[in-house]
Amino acid sequence: MPTGYSVNKARSMATTSLGISIAAVVCLMSPGLTLGLSALGVIVALQSRGADCKLDIRAKIAIIVSIIAFVIAVALIVGAFLLLLKNFGGFDELMEYLMLRVQGYPNLSMP
């Protein structure tokens, strides 16, 4: 039988995980931050099971929202990389352009 303290602790962790998951969605403009926040949201939600080993509805929602944010962030990262490769024709051309920028050719235009 779970005690009152463990139930309150589990509810509090479930609410925290939901807040972290919502923050992950809000921070989608920074995919790296979103990846970290969504992973943290899932971890905290799973830790909130408490003594009765059942997930609160807030923890379940947090897991779903975190997974959605994670998938969107990965899609943004992959999409940005593919767009760079498309614009430059390949990874070698991209690296050549970046090296010329570093060496002091500021007026280069993108191909």
Side-chain angles (χ1 to χ4, degrees):
M1 185 74 167
T3 64
Y5 174 74
S6 66
V7 170
N8 287 337
K9 183 179 175 187
R11 285 184 187 155
S12 144
M13 287 182 73
T15 304
T16 302
S17 68
L18 185 59
I20 292 170
S21 300
I22 292 171
V25 172
V26 171
C27 294
L28 271 171
M29 291 304 291
S30 173
L33 182 60
T34 299
L35 291 175
L37 286 174
S38 60
L40 183 63
V42 169
I43 291 169
V44 173
L46 292 175
Q47 291 290 325
S48 74
R49 286 184 292 184
D52 57 354
C53 291
K54 291 183 182 177
L55 281 176
D56 187 51
I57 187 68
R58 288 171 283 200
K60 291 177 185 176
I61 293 170
I63 289 173
I64 293 168
V65 171
S66 290
I67 290 172
I68 290 171
F70 189 87
V71 168
I72 292 172
V74 168
L76 286 173
I77 292 170
V78 169
F81 185 71
L82 291 176
L83 186 63
L84 276 174
L85 290 180
K86 179 182 175 272
N87 284 340
F88 286 96
F91 192 72
D92 292 336
E93 288 81 9
L94 171 64
M95 294 309 294
E96 182 180 331
Y97 173 79
L98 291 175
M99 289 305 294
L100 288 175
R101 278 303 282 244
V102 168
Q103 291 173 358
Y105 295 97
N107 296 328
L108 291 175
S109 62
M110 284 182 29

XYZ file of all heavy atoms in Angstrom:
813
model
N 0.841 -1.181 0.000
C 0.000 0.000 0.000
C 0.882 1.239 0.000
O 1.712 1.430 0.883
C -0.882 -0.036 1.252
C -1.880 1.069 1.292
S -3.154 0.663 0.112
C -4.385 1.778 0.515
N 0.737 2.097 -1.019
C 1.572 3.294 -1.078
C 1.184 4.305 -0.013
O 0.014 4.450 0.322
C 1.311 3.833 -2.480
C 0.080 3.180 -2.958
C -0.108 1.938 -2.170
N 2.173 4.959 0.505
C 1.919 5.981 1.511
C 1.544 7.288 0.834
O 1.709 7.460 -0.369
C 3.174 6.195 2.379
O 4.205 6.704 1.531
C 3.607 4.906 3.041
N 1.035 8.224 1.620
C 0.633 9.519 1.081
C 1.803 10.277 0.480
O 1.680 10.953 -0.526
N 2.967 10.141 1.118
C 4.146 10.833 0.615
C 4.538 10.322 -0.759
O 4.827 11.105 -1.664
C 5.312 10.658 1.592
C 6.606 11.226 1.071
C 6.813 12.605 1.034
C 7.612 10.396 0.596
C 7.984 13.134 0.537
C 8.787 10.906 0.102
C 8.968 12.281 0.070
O 10.128 12.795 -0.421
N 4.542 9.005 -0.944
C 4.968 8.459 -2.237
C 3.969 8.782 -3.332
O 4.346 8.979 -4.482
C 5.197 6.951 -2.138
O 3.985 6.279 -1.887
N 2.677 8.856 -3.007
C 1.665 9.222 -3.997
C 1.850 10.678 -4.410
O 1.809 11.005 -5.600
C 0.241 8.975 -3.439
C -0.812 9.573 -4.363
C 0.008 7.497 -3.244
N 2.069 11.548 -3.427
C 2.280 12.963 -3.746
C 3.555 13.165 -4.547
O 3.603 13.990 -5.457
C 2.324 13.801 -2.471
C 0.954 13.956 -1.850
O -0.064 13.821 -2.538
N 0.925 14.224 -0.559
N 4.586 12.413 -4.194
C 5.848 12.508 -4.926
C 5.662 12.050 -6.371
O 6.167 12.671 -7.304
C 6.924 11.681 -4.232
C 8.278 11.781 -4.878
C 9.307 10.968 -4.122
C 10.630 11.001 -4.861
N 11.601 10.098 -4.263
N 4.916 10.971 -6.576
C 4.678 10.466 -7.927
C 3.869 11.469 -8.739
O 4.167 11.709 -9.915
C 3.955 9.119 -7.859
N 2.854 12.067 -8.127
C 2.046 13.077 -8.832
C 2.888 14.297 -9.191
O 2.759 14.858 -10.271
C 0.864 13.497 -7.973
C -0.225 12.479 -7.914
C -1.396 12.994 -7.123
N -2.368 11.946 -6.936
C -3.236 11.908 -5.948
N -3.242 12.879 -5.046
N -4.096 10.926 -5.846
N 3.735 14.685 -8.248
C 4.583 15.844 -8.498
C 5.579 15.575 -9.625
O 5.816 16.438 -10.479
C 5.285 16.200 -7.200
O 6.561 16.650 -7.384
N 6.135 14.382 -9.661
C 7.066 14.039 -10.746
C 6.333 13.933 -12.082
O 6.877 14.312 -13.119
C 7.794 12.733 -10.435
C 8.844 12.893 -9.349
S 9.740 11.378 -9.030
C 10.756 11.279 -10.483
N 5.103 13.441 -12.075
C 4.322 13.365 -13.307
C 4.030 14.765 -13.840
O 4.127 15.016 -15.046
C 3.025 12.597 -13.068
N 3.698 15.672 -12.939
C 3.444 17.057 -13.353
C 4.723 17.703 -13.872
O 4.704 18.423 -14.876
C 2.882 17.864 -12.167
O 1.715 17.204 -11.681
C 2.534 19.274 -12.583
N 5.832 17.433 -13.217
C 7.117 17.967 -13.669
C 7.468 17.432 -15.053
O 7.924 18.188 -15.928
C 8.223 17.602 -12.669
O 7.880 18.129 -11.391
C 9.563 18.141 -13.111
N 7.250 16.153 -15.273
C 7.559 15.576 -16.579
C 6.673 16.170 -17.669
O 7.122 16.385 -18.793
C 7.417 14.060 -16.544
O 6.064 13.687 -16.378
N 5.425 16.462 -17.335
C 4.544 17.110 -18.306
C 5.039 18.512 -18.631
O 5.043 18.930 -19.793
C 3.112 17.142 -17.774
C 2.052 17.678 -18.723
C 2.011 16.854 -20.005
C 0.698 17.675 -18.048
N 5.489 19.234 -17.616
C 6.048 20.574 -17.851
C 7.301 20.528 -18.703
O 7.491 21.356 -19.606
N 8.163 19.557 -18.456
C 9.380 19.405 -19.252
C 9.027 19.063 -20.697
O 9.638 19.571 -21.640
C 10.306 18.338 -18.631
C 10.852 18.822 -17.295
C 11.447 17.988 -19.566
C 11.576 17.752 -16.501
N 8.036 18.211 -20.881
C 7.616 17.826 -22.230
C 7.044 19.013 -22.992
O 7.316 19.183 -24.184
C 6.581 16.716 -22.158
O 7.113 15.601 -21.520
N 6.261 19.837 -22.314
C 5.721 21.040 -22.956
C 6.853 22.001 -23.300
O 6.853 22.618 -24.373
C 4.662 21.690 -22.052
C 3.432 20.777 -21.977
C 4.279 23.074 -22.551
C 2.405 21.189 -20.953
N 7.844 22.111 -22.427
C 9.009 22.955 -22.725
C 9.758 22.432 -23.943
O 10.277 23.212 -24.745
C 9.933 23.015 -21.518
N 9.802 21.120 -24.112
C 10.464 20.537 -25.286
C 9.745 20.946 -26.561
O 10.385 21.240 -27.572
C 10.518 19.015 -25.168
N 8.430 20.981 -26.526
C 7.668 21.398 -27.706
C 7.872 22.883 -27.971
O 8.034 23.310 -29.118
C 6.173 21.068 -27.530
C 5.338 21.668 -28.647
C 5.966 19.565 -27.466
N 7.893 23.681 -26.910
C 8.085 25.130 -27.069
C 9.466 25.431 -27.645
O 9.630 26.363 -28.436
C 7.879 25.844 -25.715
C 8.290 27.301 -25.781
C 6.421 25.724 -25.281
N 10.460 24.633 -27.309
C 11.836 24.867 -27.746
C 12.171 24.179 -29.065
O 13.342 23.923 -29.339
C 12.804 24.395 -26.676
S 12.705 25.342 -25.163
N 11.191 23.892 -29.896
C 11.462 23.187 -31.147
C 12.343 23.985 -32.112
O 12.914 23.412 -33.029
C 10.150 22.809 -31.843
C 9.583 21.466 -31.430
C 8.198 21.276 -31.995
C 10.498 20.342 -31.859
N 12.469 25.279 -31.910
C 13.357 26.060 -32.775
C 14.820 25.746 -32.487
O 15.692 26.097 -33.261
C 13.095 27.563 -32.601
C 11.747 27.988 -33.142
S 11.503 27.574 -34.867
C 12.649 28.671 -35.649
N 15.083 25.115 -31.382
C 16.423 24.656 -31.040
C 16.368 23.133 -30.888
O 16.148 22.619 -29.789
C 16.895 25.310 -29.749
O 18.116 24.751 -29.340
N 16.539 22.397 -31.998
C 16.350 20.947 -31.944
C 17.243 20.230 -30.944
O 16.830 19.243 -30.341
C 16.654 20.494 -33.369
C 16.442 21.688 -34.214
C 16.813 22.856 -33.354
N 18.445 20.700 -30.734
C 19.326 20.054 -29.767
C 18.772 20.139 -28.358
O 18.792 19.160 -27.602
N 18.269 21.304 -27.989
C 17.646 21.477 -26.686
C 16.392 20.624 -26.568
O 16.126 20.025 -25.523
C 17.320 22.957 -26.459
C 16.710 23.342 -25.128
C 17.646 22.981 -23.985
C 16.386 24.823 -25.115
N 15.632 20.543 -27.653
C 14.419 19.734 -27.657
C 14.745 18.264 -27.448
O 14.023 17.560 -26.726
C 13.644 19.931 -28.974
O 13.269 21.299 -29.078
C 12.411 19.072 -29.030
N 15.810 17.778 -28.073
C 16.200 16.375 -27.876
C 16.495 16.092 -26.409
O 16.049 15.080 -25.859
C 17.410 16.039 -28.739
C 17.190 16.001 -30.253
C 18.508 15.764 -30.965
C 16.174 14.953 -30.626
N 17.235 16.981 -25.781
C 17.564 16.790 -24.372
C 16.351 16.879 -23.465
O 16.170 16.061 -22.563
N 15.505 17.869 -23.702
C 14.316 18.033 -22.871
C 13.337 16.879 -23.045
O 12.727 16.423 -22.077
C 13.619 19.360 -23.181
C 14.293 20.617 -22.649
C 13.563 21.855 -23.158
C 14.340 20.613 -21.138
N 13.181 16.411 -24.275
C 12.235 15.317 -24.479
C 12.746 14.028 -23.834
O 11.964 13.263 -23.256
C 11.947 15.120 -25.960
O 13.116 14.805 -26.668
N 14.045 13.785 -23.897
C 14.603 12.608 -23.224
C 14.421 12.734 -21.706
O 14.033 11.768 -21.033
C 16.075 12.450 -23.574
N 14.660 13.922 -21.175
C 14.469 14.147 -19.746
C 13.006 13.988 -19.350
O 12.698 13.430 -18.291
C 14.978 15.541 -19.369
C 14.928 15.911 -17.895
C 15.841 14.992 -17.092
C 15.335 17.359 -17.712
N 12.098 14.437 -20.203
C 10.668 14.281 -19.925
C 10.258 12.824 -19.821
O 9.487 12.445 -18.935
N 10.780 11.998 -20.717
C 10.458 10.563 -20.667
C 11.047 9.932 -19.409
O 10.385 9.136 -18.730
C 10.965 9.848 -21.938
C 10.888 8.342 -21.784
C 10.180 10.299 -23.146
N 12.282 10.277 -19.088
C 12.929 9.697 -17.905
C 12.172 10.056 -16.630
O 11.889 9.192 -15.794
C 14.406 10.145 -17.826
C 15.208 9.514 -18.955
C 15.009 9.800 -16.467
C 16.595 10.083 -19.118
N 11.824 11.326 -16.474
C 11.105 11.753 -15.270
C 9.717 11.115 -15.223
O 9.247 10.711 -14.158
C 11.028 13.293 -15.191
C 10.154 13.744 -14.044
C 12.418 13.887 -15.053
N 9.061 11.003 -16.376
C 7.738 10.381 -16.406
C 7.821 8.917 -15.981
O 6.974 8.429 -15.224
C 7.129 10.497 -17.803
N 8.826 8.207 -16.454
C 8.974 6.809 -16.061
C 9.356 6.661 -14.591
O 8.975 5.693 -13.934
C 9.991 6.107 -16.957
C 9.561 5.921 -18.414
C 10.692 5.321 -19.229
C 8.317 5.060 -18.508
N 10.098 7.623 -14.071
C 10.458 7.592 -12.660
C 9.285 7.922 -11.748
O 9.313 7.639 -10.555
C 11.607 8.575 -12.374
C 12.915 8.172 -12.967
C 13.491 6.961 -12.277
O 13.348 6.780 -11.083
N 14.108 6.086 -13.053
N 8.230 8.505 -12.304
C 7.093 8.934 -11.486
C 6.121 7.803 -11.192
O 5.079 8.041 -10.600
C 6.345 10.067 -12.194
O 5.599 9.546 -13.286
N 6.450 6.593 -11.580
C 5.528 5.478 -11.362
C 5.199 5.289 -9.896
O 4.105 4.879 -9.545
C 6.095 4.193 -11.939
C 6.016 4.173 -13.438
C 6.490 2.884 -13.953
N 7.927 2.784 -13.712
C 8.673 1.784 -14.121
N 8.125 0.791 -14.767
N 9.952 1.767 -13.889
N 6.104 5.570 -9.043
C 5.834 5.476 -7.618
C 5.792 4.045 -7.118
O 6.175 3.103 -7.805
N 5.271 3.879 -5.905
C 5.279 2.578 -5.239
C 4.285 1.602 -5.858
O 4.483 0.393 -5.805
C 4.980 2.756 -3.760
N 3.222 2.114 -6.440
C 2.223 1.206 -7.011
C 2.525 0.825 -8.453
O 1.765 0.074 -9.065
C 0.825 1.791 -6.893
C 0.693 3.145 -7.554
O 1.718 3.682 -8.009
O -0.428 3.673 -7.611
N 3.608 1.315 -8.996
C 4.098 0.983 -10.340
C 3.083 1.254 -11.443
O 3.034 0.549 -12.446
C 4.561 -0.477 -10.410
S 6.041 -0.765 -9.452
N 2.260 2.277 -11.248
C 1.308 2.681 -12.278
C 1.647 4.105 -12.712
O 2.006 4.945 -11.887
C -0.125 2.642 -11.757
C -0.631 1.250 -11.498
C -2.069 1.294 -11.063
C -2.568 -0.113 -10.765
N -3.946 -0.094 -10.271
N 1.508 4.361 -14.002
C 1.754 5.705 -14.514
C 0.499 6.549 -14.358
O -0.603 6.127 -14.699
C 2.145 5.655 -15.989
C 3.576 5.279 -16.313
C 3.778 5.186 -17.814
C 4.551 6.256 -15.719
N 0.692 7.743 -13.855
C -0.380 8.727 -13.792
C -0.721 9.164 -15.210
O 0.108 9.064 -16.121
C 0.101 9.913 -12.946
C -0.981 10.921 -12.663
O -2.051 10.498 -12.196
O -0.748 12.121 -12.905
N -1.913 9.682 -15.420
C -2.315 10.123 -16.758
C -1.411 11.248 -17.256
O -1.092 11.336 -18.443
C -3.810 10.533 -16.785
C -4.271 10.837 -18.203
C -4.060 11.732 -15.891
C -4.310 9.635 -19.096
N -0.948 12.107 -16.332
C -0.024 13.184 -16.730
C 1.308 12.627 -17.215
O 1.908 13.153 -18.153
C 0.191 14.142 -15.570
C -1.027 15.003 -15.289
C -0.838 15.748 -14.021
N -1.063 14.785 -12.943
C -1.362 15.115 -11.707
N -1.418 16.367 -11.359
N -1.573 14.196 -10.802
N 1.757 11.555 -16.602
C 3.010 10.929 -17.027
C 2.845 10.288 -18.401
O 3.750 10.369 -19.246
C 3.455 9.896 -16.006
N 1.698 9.664 -18.646
C 1.451 9.075 -19.958
C 1.408 10.139 -21.040
O 1.991 9.972 -22.121
C 0.135 8.295 -19.949
C 0.178 7.037 -19.116
C -1.168 6.350 -19.090
C -1.154 5.151 -18.158
N -2.477 4.526 -18.055
N 0.737 11.245 -20.748
C 0.685 12.351 -21.708
C 2.081 12.923 -21.936
O 2.461 13.248 -23.066
C -0.295 13.437 -21.229
C -1.721 12.888 -21.245
C -0.192 14.693 -22.074
C -2.730 13.791 -20.581
N 2.873 13.028 -20.868
C 4.236 13.551 -20.986
C 5.090 12.659 -21.875
O 5.880 13.159 -22.692
C 4.867 13.687 -19.602
N 4.941 11.357 -21.743
C 5.712 10.438 -22.586
C 5.322 10.615 -24.051
O 6.181 10.693 -24.935
C 5.510 8.980 -22.124
C 6.209 8.767 -20.788
C 6.048 7.997 -23.153
C 5.938 7.427 -20.154
N 4.023 10.728 -24.321
C 3.556 10.898 -25.701
C 4.056 12.217 -26.281
O 4.577 12.256 -27.402
C 2.017 10.799 -25.754
C 1.582 9.374 -25.418
C 1.493 11.230 -27.110
C 0.102 9.230 -25.166
N 3.921 13.298 -25.519
C 4.367 14.615 -25.999
C 5.879 14.631 -26.204
O 6.378 15.186 -27.192
C 3.909 15.723 -25.025
C 4.535 17.055 -25.365
C 2.394 15.832 -25.025
N 6.624 14.001 -25.300
C 8.084 13.962 -25.438
C 8.509 13.191 -26.673
O 9.428 13.607 -27.387
C 8.712 13.326 -24.194
O 8.586 14.174 -23.092
N 7.851 12.086 -26.939
C 8.203 11.299 -28.125
C 7.884 12.077 -29.390
O 8.677 12.084 -30.345
C 7.487 9.934 -28.087
C 8.093 9.061 -26.989
C 7.563 9.231 -29.432
C 7.355 7.778 -26.727
N 6.749 12.769 -29.410
C 6.397 13.584 -30.581
C 7.424 14.699 -30.783
O 7.882 14.937 -31.910
C 4.973 14.152 -30.430
C 3.951 13.022 -30.550
C 4.695 15.237 -31.455
C 2.534 13.423 -30.200
N 7.817 15.375 -29.702
C 8.822 16.440 -29.803
C 10.157 15.877 -30.283
O 10.841 16.501 -31.106
C 8.990 17.134 -28.460
N 10.528 14.706 -29.794
C 11.782 14.073 -30.200
C 11.769 13.765 -31.693
O 12.736 14.063 -32.408
C 11.995 12.792 -29.387
C 13.350 12.167 -29.565
C 14.405 12.574 -28.789
C 13.561 11.183 -30.512
C 15.660 12.007 -28.935
C 14.801 10.610 -30.681
C 15.855 11.021 -29.889
N 10.675 13.195 -32.176
C 10.573 12.852 -33.600
C 10.621 14.110 -34.472
O 11.306 14.139 -35.504
C 9.288 12.030 -33.857
C 8.994 11.903 -35.330
C 9.407 10.664 -33.211
N 9.928 15.162 -34.060
C 9.944 16.407 -34.833
C 11.346 17.007 -34.845
O 11.819 17.490 -35.887
C 8.914 17.405 -34.276
C 7.493 16.894 -34.537
C 9.092 18.790 -34.896
C 6.413 17.705 -33.865
N 12.045 16.984 -33.711
C 13.409 17.534 -33.651
C 14.355 16.760 -34.551
O 15.176 17.356 -35.263
C 13.912 17.536 -32.211
N 14.251 15.444 -34.539
C 15.104 14.632 -35.417
C 14.776 14.926 -36.878
O 15.686 15.057 -37.720
C 14.946 13.124 -35.093
C 15.579 12.266 -36.164
C 15.562 12.818 -33.742
N 13.492 15.084 -37.201
C 13.104 15.410 -38.571
C 13.650 16.776 -38.986
O 14.092 16.949 -40.132
C 11.583 15.375 -38.710
N 13.643 17.745 -38.076
C 14.209 19.064 -38.386
C 15.711 18.988 -38.641
O 16.230 19.619 -39.568
C 13.925 20.042 -37.241
C 12.513 20.560 -37.123
C 12.351 21.376 -35.850
C 12.160 21.412 -38.336
N 16.415 18.223 -37.833
C 17.865 18.093 -38.016
C 18.185 17.403 -39.329
O 19.036 17.867 -40.106
C 18.483 17.340 -36.821
C 18.394 18.199 -35.566
C 19.926 16.949 -37.107
C 18.762 17.469 -34.293
N 17.500 16.309 -39.623
C 17.738 15.582 -40.873
C 17.349 16.442 -42.073
O 18.070 16.501 -43.076
C 16.973 14.234 -40.874
C 16.982 13.590 -42.238
C 17.576 13.300 -39.836
N 16.215 17.145 -41.967
C 15.783 18.014 -43.056
C 16.766 19.145 -43.327
O 17.050 19.465 -44.479
N 17.297 19.739 -42.269
C 18.277 20.813 -42.456
C 19.552 20.289 -43.106
O 20.127 20.937 -43.990
C 18.598 21.453 -41.108
N 19.989 19.116 -42.694
C 21.192 18.531 -43.281
C 20.968 18.206 -44.764
O 21.823 18.491 -45.609
C 21.600 17.287 -42.504
C 22.892 16.698 -42.959
C 24.087 17.346 -42.703
C 22.924 15.501 -43.655
C 25.293 16.806 -43.131
C 24.118 14.957 -44.084
C 25.307 15.610 -43.820
N 19.805 17.634 -45.079
C 19.512 17.318 -46.478
C 19.385 18.577 -47.322
O 19.806 18.593 -48.481
C 18.233 16.482 -46.576
C 18.336 15.063 -46.026
C 16.984 14.375 -46.086
C 19.388 14.268 -46.766
N 18.833 19.642 -46.763
C 18.732 20.910 -47.487
C 20.115 21.492 -47.761
O 20.373 21.993 -48.865
C 17.884 21.889 -46.688
C 17.555 23.211 -47.355
C 16.710 22.968 -48.600
C 16.827 24.118 -46.400
N 21.013 21.386 -46.798
C 22.384 21.844 -47.022
C 23.060 21.040 -48.127
O 23.729 21.602 -48.999
C 23.203 21.728 -45.734
C 23.091 22.865 -44.750
C 23.840 22.529 -43.477
C 23.603 24.150 -45.343
N 22.885 19.741 -48.084
C 23.492 18.907 -49.120
C 22.905 19.215 -50.495
O 23.622 19.217 -51.497
C 23.319 17.430 -48.787
C 24.135 16.916 -47.611
C 23.871 15.438 -47.397
C 25.613 17.182 -47.808
N 21.615 19.486 -50.544
C 20.973 19.813 -51.829
C 21.492 21.148 -52.368
O 21.780 21.283 -53.555
C 19.460 19.878 -51.653
C 18.717 20.228 -52.917
C 17.220 20.327 -52.632
C 16.482 20.782 -53.855
N 16.402 22.232 -53.971
N 21.629 22.141 -51.507
C 22.078 23.464 -51.947
C 23.540 23.472 -52.377
O 23.925 24.242 -53.254
C 21.863 24.492 -50.847
C 20.420 24.903 -50.722
O 19.632 24.723 -51.653
N 20.061 25.426 -49.578
N 24.365 22.653 -51.762
C 25.785 22.659 -52.066
C 26.208 21.511 -52.962
O 27.360 21.433 -53.352
C 26.606 22.649 -50.770
C 26.592 23.965 -50.065
C 25.706 24.201 -49.040
C 27.446 24.969 -50.446
C 25.678 25.417 -48.392
C 27.433 26.197 -49.817
C 26.547 26.424 -48.784
N 25.334 20.591 -53.271
C 25.667 19.502 -54.172
C 26.380 18.341 -53.519
O 26.638 17.336 -54.150
N 26.716 18.455 -52.271
C 27.389 17.364 -51.571
C 28.145 17.888 -50.370
O 28.315 19.097 -50.183
N 28.613 16.980 -49.566
C 29.304 17.347 -48.344
C 30.655 18.000 -48.630
O 31.062 18.939 -47.937
C 29.480 16.111 -47.458
C 29.929 16.427 -46.078
C 29.060 17.019 -45.180
C 31.215 16.149 -45.662
C 29.463 17.331 -43.898
C 31.638 16.453 -44.395
C 30.754 17.046 -43.500
N 31.355 17.543 -49.666
C 32.667 18.121 -49.987
C 32.546 19.585 -50.389
O 33.360 20.419 -49.977
C 33.325 17.333 -51.119
C 33.705 15.924 -50.697
O 33.897 15.712 -49.480
O 33.791 15.049 -51.576
N 31.540 19.920 -51.196
C 31.347 21.306 -51.618
C 30.979 22.193 -50.427
O 31.408 23.336 -50.338
C 30.266 21.397 -52.698
C 30.697 20.843 -54.044
C 30.599 19.332 -54.118
O 30.043 18.702 -53.200
O 31.102 18.769 -55.104
N 30.191 21.654 -49.529
C 29.839 22.409 -48.327
C 31.079 22.703 -47.502
O 31.286 23.838 -47.056
C 28.815 21.631 -47.494
C 28.501 22.181 -46.107
C 27.862 23.554 -46.207
C 27.605 21.229 -45.343
N 31.915 21.708 -47.291
C 33.131 21.917 -46.504
C 34.092 22.880 -47.198
O 34.739 23.704 -46.544
C 33.815 20.576 -46.229
C 33.012 19.660 -45.328
S 32.447 20.426 -43.800
C 33.962 20.712 -42.962
N 34.175 22.805 -48.523
C 35.028 23.731 -49.268
C 34.535 25.168 -49.108
O 35.320 26.083 -48.882
C 35.035 23.341 -50.742
C 35.924 24.215 -51.596
C 35.907 23.788 -53.050
O 35.695 22.594 -53.323
O 36.111 24.668 -53.902
N 33.235 25.367 -49.198
C 32.646 26.695 -49.012
C 32.942 27.222 -47.606
O 33.346 28.373 -47.435
C 31.134 26.631 -49.251
C 30.421 27.912 -48.925
C 30.444 28.984 -49.808
C 29.725 28.060 -47.722
C 29.800 30.169 -49.511
C 29.086 29.237 -47.420
C 29.118 30.287 -48.309
O 28.488 31.459 -48.007
N 32.772 26.373 -46.600
C 33.022 26.805 -45.227
C 34.497 27.132 -44.997
O 34.822 28.088 -44.294
C 32.541 25.733 -44.248
C 31.031 25.540 -44.174
C 30.697 24.374 -43.265
C 30.340 26.804 -43.719
N 35.402 26.346 -45.584
C 36.825 26.624 -45.421
C 37.206 27.938 -46.085
O 38.027 28.694 -45.563
C 37.664 25.469 -45.979
C 37.591 24.207 -45.138
S 38.036 24.462 -43.411
C 39.750 24.891 -43.560
N 36.636 28.234 -47.249
C 36.926 29.504 -47.897
C 36.385 30.668 -47.076
O 37.009 31.730 -47.008
C 36.331 29.522 -49.310
C 37.048 28.621 -50.328
C 36.291 28.624 -51.649
C 38.480 29.059 -50.521
N 35.241 30.487 -46.429
C 34.697 31.535 -45.562
C 35.625 31.788 -44.377
O 35.859 32.936 -43.989
C 33.315 31.134 -45.027
C 32.138 31.358 -45.916
C 32.006 32.793 -46.327
N 31.437 33.632 -45.310
C 30.299 34.252 -45.419
N 29.571 34.099 -46.507
N 29.869 35.028 -44.481
N 36.154 30.718 -43.813
C 37.043 30.843 -42.652
C 38.348 31.516 -43.058
O 38.921 32.302 -42.303
C 37.298 29.460 -42.021
C 38.417 29.500 -41.015
C 36.040 28.935 -41.377
N 38.805 31.255 -44.273
C 40.085 31.799 -44.718
C 39.999 33.252 -45.125
O 41.005 33.862 -45.442
C 40.608 30.974 -45.888
C 41.032 29.572 -45.485
C 41.390 28.709 -46.664
O 41.284 29.138 -47.807
N 41.808 27.484 -46.392
N 38.834 33.841 -45.131
C 38.744 35.269 -45.348
C 38.146 35.687 -46.672
O 38.456 36.755 -47.188
N 37.320 34.906 -47.255
C 36.624 35.289 -48.472
C 35.167 35.578 -48.105
O 34.283 34.753 -48.301
C 36.676 34.165 -49.519
C 38.068 33.877 -49.994
C 38.813 32.839 -49.457
C 38.635 34.650 -51.016
C 40.094 32.569 -49.889
C 39.917 34.375 -51.460
C 40.633 33.342 -50.895
O 41.897 33.076 -51.336
N 34.893 36.773 -47.572
C 33.557 37.037 -47.020
C 32.469 37.244 -48.078
O 31.303 37.176 -47.775
C 33.757 38.313 -46.206
C 34.899 38.985 -46.871
C 35.788 37.886 -47.390
N 32.846 37.536 -49.325
C 31.851 37.849 -50.332
C 31.438 36.634 -51.164
O 30.982 36.783 -52.294
C 32.361 38.970 -51.253
C 32.561 40.252 -50.482
O 31.832 40.510 -49.526
N 33.535 41.038 -50.878
N 31.633 35.453 -50.653
C 31.223 34.259 -51.371
C 29.701 34.169 -51.375
O 29.059 34.429 -50.374
C 31.796 33.004 -50.707
C 33.290 32.810 -50.814
C 33.691 31.592 -50.012
C 33.715 32.635 -52.242
N 29.156 33.804 -52.491
C 27.732 33.574 -52.525
C 27.483 32.073 -52.529
O 28.289 31.280 -52.988
C 27.106 34.200 -53.776
O 27.637 33.597 -54.937
N 26.339 31.700 -51.989
C 26.012 30.273 -51.953
C 25.790 29.790 -53.372
O 25.240 30.513 -54.200
C 24.753 30.030 -51.116
C 25.004 30.128 -49.652
S 23.571 29.781 -48.628
C 22.592 28.677 -49.539
N 26.208 28.579 -53.681
C 25.995 28.056 -55.030
C 24.524 27.830 -55.306
O 23.723 27.691 -54.488
C 26.723 26.724 -55.021
C 27.181 26.474 -53.640
C 26.923 27.679 -52.838
